Amino acid sequence: MLRPEFASRVTLKCQACGTSHTANRPLWACPCGGILDVLMRARFPKESMALRAPGLWRYREALPVALNTPPISLGEPQTPLVAVALGAYRVYLKLDFLFPTGSFKARGAAVLLTKARELGVTSLVEDSSGNAGAAIAAYAAAAGVKATIYVPARAARAKTAQIALYGAQIKVVAGSRADVADAALLAARSQYYASHAWNPFFLEGTQTIAFEIWEQLDGRVPDMVISPVGHGTMLLGLAKGFDSLRRAGMTTHVPRLIGVQAAACAPLRQAFRQGGSELSPVQPGPTQADGIAIGRPLRWRQILQAVSDSGGDIVAVGEDAIARSMSYWARRGLLMEPTSATATAVLEDFAASNRLQPEQVVVVPITGSGMKSAVSNTEVVVGDGS
Ligand SMILES: *Cc1c(COP(=O)(O)O)cnc(C)c1O
Ligand SMILES: [Zn+2]
């Protein structure tokens, strides 16, 4: 049972028509078709947090789930924040590939599935042939919820195999990435849509990376965070998480957010450069960064606003720089997937061209494990979304 006081603490606000909905039924979009955001007053009570193990469930008062709802958990760790030297600079890598599913998408899936179970959901659909599909499939399995994942015919095999092994039903859709999304949307008329792009509870989960960074830096917030961006689940999570900390009085400033796209698919960068009032969808070119090969990011307005509010930027990197950075870090012992190496490529570029200040605290989330891509990406694959 939801406590009445709790139910009123969480609302879902529509970006299009402004309507606020109560969060006590399985709603993933506004009936008007608009995108929903979770609104709640996050709290960070030191005493309650200290009683809980490190990890994302430590921040329950900042998550839109009733305090007595049992979390769907696969033992999510507080991921390490590792200081590394880069030329004259010291920067931090946040090892978010160390989740049970091999990517940070576990953050979003854990909170989404916990909320879904709280709402009585028994079956759901998602469209993703990548880390998001795998994370939703894993947490659905842990929750005992039936998952159907729609994937394009040209999906990376290692990730599709992972989704199948978790027991999710896979529906292969011929055609473009948009056709896959359309098929899932159709199915979502009768089932809960666990879309990492649409479903606002996914972002509520990814924001926990900001809470962990804040605690790991002893209550400070970095000056800059550099993150890959496609649909924005990492970048918007960072923005939302740091903003929650600011509104709760835990910090006075928030980091500059640098979103990184692959040059082969950079609609957000182009829109940001052109002032941010419109976005021209692109047809993704071939890229190793298949996790962010998103030609038309659903929450593009919100992403551009978050980057602009933070005083940040959106940049693009080429395939050579991605491959070079991935290999550079692998030779320092860190195997990441190419999508993650878009952000480290920018980090190296900023360091090499002295665009960092020596005293600045810079964090780069390492979003996905190189274990899956090392097998399937030995040659360049065409982006199929995340
Ligand atoms: C999903 C994903 C991202 C971020 O992508 P968004 O589309 O912006 O959510 C980055 N890296 C990896 C490895 C991913 O799977
Ligand atoms: Zn609406």
Side-chain angles (χ1 to χ4, degrees):
M1 258 312 280
L2 297 184
R3 288 174 297 145
E5 154 261 315
F6 173 80
S8 63
R9 198 164 69 84
V10 179
T11 54
L12 296 171
K13 186 155 192 234
C14 174
Q15 290 184 10
C17 72
T19 303
S20 288
H21 306 272
T22 53
N24 57 7
R25 63 199 165 98
L27 203 60
W28 55 266
C30 183
C32 86
I35 300 167
L36 294 175
D37 289 310
V38 173
L39 294 192
M40 67 176 282
R41 203 159 64 83
R43 293 185 307 113
F44 300 88
K46 288 240 152 59
E47 326 72 54
S48 326
M49 278 164 45
L51 295 174
R52 304 185 193 124
L56 60 92
W57 293 108
R58 189 178 176 89
Y59 312 103
R60 294 203 63 139
E61 291 83 1
L63 295 174
V65 173
L67 290 174
N68 58 357
T69 295
I72 305 299
S73 175
L74 291 166
E76 303 73 34
Q78 178 192 66
T79 61
L81 187 67
V82 182
V84 294
L86 195 63
Y89 304 104
R90 223 169 85 100
V91 297
Y92 294 91
L93 304 182
K94 174 85 166 144
L95 307 191
D96 252 30
F97 61 85
L98 290 175
F99 279 106
T101 64
S103 84
F104 79 94
K105 299 253 173 32
R107 294 184 186 277
V111 170
L112 191 155
L113 261 298
T114 299
K115 188 66 188 180
R117 269 281 298 273
E118 183 184 274
L119 295 169
V121 168
T122 55
S123 71
L124 54 77
V125 295
E126 151 76 315
D127 52 304
S128 156
S129 56
N131 290 324
I136 292 291
Y139 282 85
V145 168
K146 185 175 166 300
T148 306
I149 314 286
Y150 288 74
V151 306
R154 273 205 285 182
R157 204 174 307 158
K159 288 170 183 165
T160 320
Q162 187 186 4
I163 296 171
L165 283 166
Y166 289 130
Q169 191 183 358
I170 294 185
K171 290 248 160 92
V172 179
V173 181
S176 71
R177 187 63 186 77
D179 296 327
V180 182
D182 287 346
L185 269 167
L186 196 65
R189 287 189 186 165
S190 57
Q191 288 174 86
Y192 192 55
Y193 195 19
S195 164
H196 56 295
W198 277 100
N199 197 303
F201 292 108
F202 199 92
L203 296 180
E204 295 301 299
T206 57
Q207 69 169 329
T208 56
I209 188 174
F211 307 158
E212 288 180 20
I213 293 171
W214 163 72
E215 274 207 291
Q216 288 170 307
L217 292 175
D218 293 323
R220 283 175 315 140
V221 154
D223 299 295
M224 183 190 287
V225 182
I226 306 174
S227 153
V229 60
H231 268 309
T233 61
M234 170 53 83
L235 189 134
L236 289 174
L238 286 161
K240 172 136 208 184
F242 286 117
D243 192 54
S244 294
L245 288 165
R246 188 184 56 77
R247 283 184 295 116
M250 302 291 133
T251 174
T252 49
H253 85 290
V254 295
R256 287 176 63 198
L257 298 176
I258 310 294
V260 187
Q261 300 219 277
C265 183
L268 291 166
R269 177 193 149 84
Q270 194 191 351
F272 194 74
R273 283 295 128 93
Q274 291 171 352
S277 58
E278 56 191 305
L279 178 128
S280 314
V282 306
Q283 192 58 45
T287 176
Q288 304 152 87
D290 57 332
I292 50 170
I294 310 292
R296 192 194 174 282
L298 180 78
R299 292 178 181 265
W300 65 270
R301 265 183 215 282
Q302 200 174 356
I303 295 168
L304 300 180
Q305 190 68 51
V307 170
S308 158
D309 287 350
S310 79
D313 198 1
I314 301 184
V315 298
V317 289
E319 296 301 309
D320 286 353
I322 297 170
R324 227 180 301 119
S325 186
M326 194 183 82
S327 154
Y328 171 77
W329 288 103
R331 283 155 184 270
R332 288 181 68 169
L334 267 177
L335 190 64
M336 65 183 76
E337 76 169 80
T339 303
S340 314
T342 57
T344 51
V346 168
L347 175 70
E348 283 133 45
D349 182 39
F350 279 15
S353 55
N354 293 316
R355 267 178 287 173
L356 304 177
Q357 259 85 59
E359 70 284 358
Q360 262 187 339
V361 178
V362 179
V363 174
V364 180
I366 307 301
T367 51
S369 163
M371 298 293 191
K372 310 180 212 179
S373 47
V375 184
S376 62
N377 285 18
T378 41
E379 53 186 39
V380 172
V381 297
V382 174
D384 50 49
S386 56

